Amino acid sequence: MIIPVIAVLAVLTQQRGDSLMQYDVGGVRVVQQQRPATSQMVAVELYLLGGSRQITADNAGIEPMYLATSGYGTTKYPGELARRALARTGGSISYDASDDWTTFEFHGLKADFDSTWSIFADRLMHATLDSAGLAVVRQRMLSAVARQATSPEALAFHLADSATVVGHPYANSPDGNARSLAAITPAQLRKYAEEQFVTSRMLLVVAGDIPRAQVEAAVQRTLATLPHGAYKWSLPEPIKVAKGGIIPVDRDVSTNYIVGMVGGPSRADPDYGAYERALGFLGGWVSYIVREQNALSYAAGVSVYERGASSGALYMSTTNPDSAIKLVNMILKELDEPDAMIPRGTMRKAQKSFDAQYVAESETAEGQATLLGRATLYDGDPGAAAKRAKTMSNVAFSDLKHSLRVYFKNIQYAYVGDTTRMPRKEMTKR
Amino acid sequence: MCALATPAASQSILAASVRDTTLQNGLQVIVVPNTSAPFVTVEAVFRSGAFVQQVQGYEGLPHLIEHLLFRSDGGSFSGDADKIAASWNGVTSTECVRYFMSFPSANTAKGIDIMSRLVRKPDFSKESIEAEKKVVAGEMQRHASDPESLLLTEADLLLWGNVGLTVKSPGGNLLAINGATADKLKEMYNRFYVPNNAAIVIAGDVDSTVFTVVAKAFGSWKRGDDPLAKLSPSPVVPLSAVQKKIITAEVKDVTFLVRWQGPSVTKDAAATYAADVFSGLVNQRVSATQKRLVDTGILDDIYLSYETLRDVGPIDLYARTSPDRAVAAAEAIGDELALLVKPDYFGAEDLTLAKKWQEVSTLRGNERAASAADAIATLWGSADLAYYRTYDARMASQTADDVHSYVAKYIAGKPLAVVVRMPSDAWNQFGVSVQRALGAWGKP
């Protein structure tokens, strides 16, 4: 059964004349969602696939460094012209390097699609890599890496995640490290672009009220002229945490931050739906018991790291870590029991929340483009989000419990705060 | 209303997107239809933010009440919200408190009813109060642990002073939160949570029948006295001298936060639009400031903002760099403050680009119904619906003279507050030199 809110969205988009298309332009795979009469905005996301698997510890950060430096001039828009031409459209060009891919994207008015595309494509294909611009970008990226552990909560997440991905491709941060960022040369950037900016490594997603012919023409005269290469997209190996542990960081702060990471199945694994549901369910319980019932934390829950190789994180800030972790262990123990009962309506509630989130993200061109890109790459089909909702609705409580038993173990904790109060025993129970 | 519309207002895209009515009890109902998804956001906003802490004994209460209302109606809120697949939250800010829920539009009537019970049936039992005091304390401890909050708190203290800080800081303090009593909470609630001090904003997949639904859910709510009538319109003391402070924290970079006391919507609404245009002029990637300070590698970034408030919105210049560039940055920002206020700081094309960026940003923000609801509720809290309705048209009509007037009135030669946050080891190495560079800053 298709869930009502998603069915309503389907009817609405049909009435509006939305259409989802997939096509190839000179080797570039394009997914396009036409959204007539919704808004004047258009979103374009170019996925450069591979993420952490495309780099080594020595050249980590090279892709975002290239894309950022391209903002300081291209063959067609030398120097400041690239930024000034973009400013005339009122739109924005940005990039985001993540573990699975880098997105190079723009958001702007549909009336300015062609002019923005021209700057966008030239930045990818013909960056001049001006040395002064590169120096500024390098310094900014080094600062960003140094800054990533400024907040104690971010530090806890960073430490726990880093420990779980040792030996996995995700260990190489696509944003780079202090050593790699300092060493990357202009020649390396040029070579990287020549070798890596190939059409087989690209997925282009366009959402907005733009005719297909206009997109095709834009791609044909630019990206389609790049070599095809031989890249083949696949999902990375799952993250397996063989042994749990604790990374304590003593810091003089007013509360304590605890993050516990666990591994998870591949996105392609049939178990993935149950895993995502299980973590969502567990997060709801942790929040209810730790925050609402016992007022031990302002923020307590469980989040899923939605990546090709998934992982999950238990998190909380608390001045009473011993009691809070004891409660989490009690919840997990209870869910381990064969006759554990689930409160009536809980599964349905989790499903509704998932559907609602999907529908909310469909509201904007930007949200729609991101949904389509992720569904295409993680699920193999841009229309998979709605299908996934159907799969998710079939997850039974027994599947969910099984998933928690299999994956919510060997927890890798990071603890930032008063380490004399760290409940080591409770934190190593699972 | 149409007869009174100005030519500028008639060109407003925002004005065309909004419908409203006022119920007999004074509750304003604002609707923004958006059919891009079968989804709706409902917000209830009250003019009861930090500024009400000017009343003796009210410190900490706006924030605590916000938390307590989620225990309303016998604690049914969370379960009821789950049943309609709603995501929800509340925010206490300087001048208003907002409660918001987003859910599938098929549940609109139920969602509005839940919101009505949330804001009208509070639970001030001892058990609820004590539980929420602990949760609010947890939230404040998180803030106190965050170096970014530390920077803002220090900057607030310099800009507003001790008295002003009370009416500008939404969180309250632990002492006040712990000392809050049921009687005081009820008193403040009864005074400020009245329909004539509130608005309901609904954005998303709804039509005009939603007005009837809101009237049914909120129509019986009794009007109260005007809660703002007896309050001081402006408890903020003007900054009389330049204030400078360097603090250390467990951070890796150096951050400068330079602040001025900016315009008030009630006294100088025209300047608030110019303030937003001027921020756009400084922030655009091709601005003179970005070229001089970022493209030369002195700073990692620099950003100017103005917060639209009924009473004295802050103007913030935020800049970051690394410790080894801190001294050069302090000198360069000091020089830039003098250049920012010169008549030739920007040209005609710069102004056009800044306004274009603002126009596209407004359209982009409005694409998401929840963002539109947030913007309307926040601006209603500090100004009124007319301010939102005409915002885009007023922005488009700003001239270079408008911007120069704003700069002359609120930035040029005006006292400022600056806080520099740096790592302890950087303080040992560069602290004195940074201090010396700050000492050379004149009034711009």
Side-chain angles (χ1 to χ4, degrees), chain B residues 112 174 178 186 213 224 226 238 260 270 304 330 346 375 413 439 442:
Chain B
I112 289 170
L174 269 180
N178 286 332
K186 282 180 200 164
V213 177
D226 178 0
W260 296 264
L304 184 72
F346 63 91

Side-chain angles (χ1 to χ4, degrees), chain B residues 45-165:
Chain B
V45 53
F46 295 83
R47 290 179 178 131
S48 62
F51 77 100
V52 311
Q53 295 176 132
Q54 64 179 275
V55 179
Q56 184 79 26
Y58 279 17
E59 198 173 352
L61 301 194
H63 188 196
L64 190 53
I65 287 179
E66 174 227 309
H67 274 253
L68 275 164
L69 287 202
F70 288 101
R71 291 180 178 260
S72 289
D73 197 23
S76 63
F77 173 77
S78 163
D80 288 348
D82 285 345
K83 282 179 195 155
I84 62 164
S87 58
W88 49 268
N89 213 334
V91 173
T92 303
S93 51
T94 306
E95 293 184 338
C96 65
V97 181
R98 298 186 291 119
Y99 303 85
F100 44 92
M101 301 165 61
S102 296
F103 45 80
S105 53
N107 303 325
T108 299
K110 283 181 190 162
I112 289 170
D113 179 60
I114 293 168
M115 182 61 86
S116 169
R117 286 184 280 124
L118 172 82
V119 298
R120 294 176 62 191
K121 295 188 175 179
D123 170 13
F124 292 127
S125 65
K126 193 178 172 191
E127 186 188 26
S128 289
I129 293 171
E130 292 312 311
E132 282 311 315
K133 278 182 181 177
K134 285 184 193 168
V135 174
V136 172
E139 185 180 356
M140 295 176 73
Q141 281 149 354
R142 281 170 64 87
H143 275 285
S145 303
D146 181 5
E148 209 57 24
S149 299
L150 175 70
L151 175 72
L152 278 172
T153 303
E154 291 288 353
D156 273 345
L157 203 54
L158 288 193
L159 186 65
W160 309 119
N162 280 323
V163 177
L165 185 63

Side-chain angles (χ1 to χ4, degrees), chain A residues 256 258 296 316 318-329 415 421-427:
Chain A
N256 305 290
I258 303 173
L296 287 171
M316 64 177 67
T318 179
T319 52
N320 194 341
D322 187 58
S323 301
I325 292 291
K326 267 186 184 147
L327 285 174
V328 171
N329 285 341
Y415 179 106
R421 301 196 59 199
M422 188 176 76
R424 183 176 291 277
K425 196 173 159 194
E426 286 296 328
M427 290 168 79

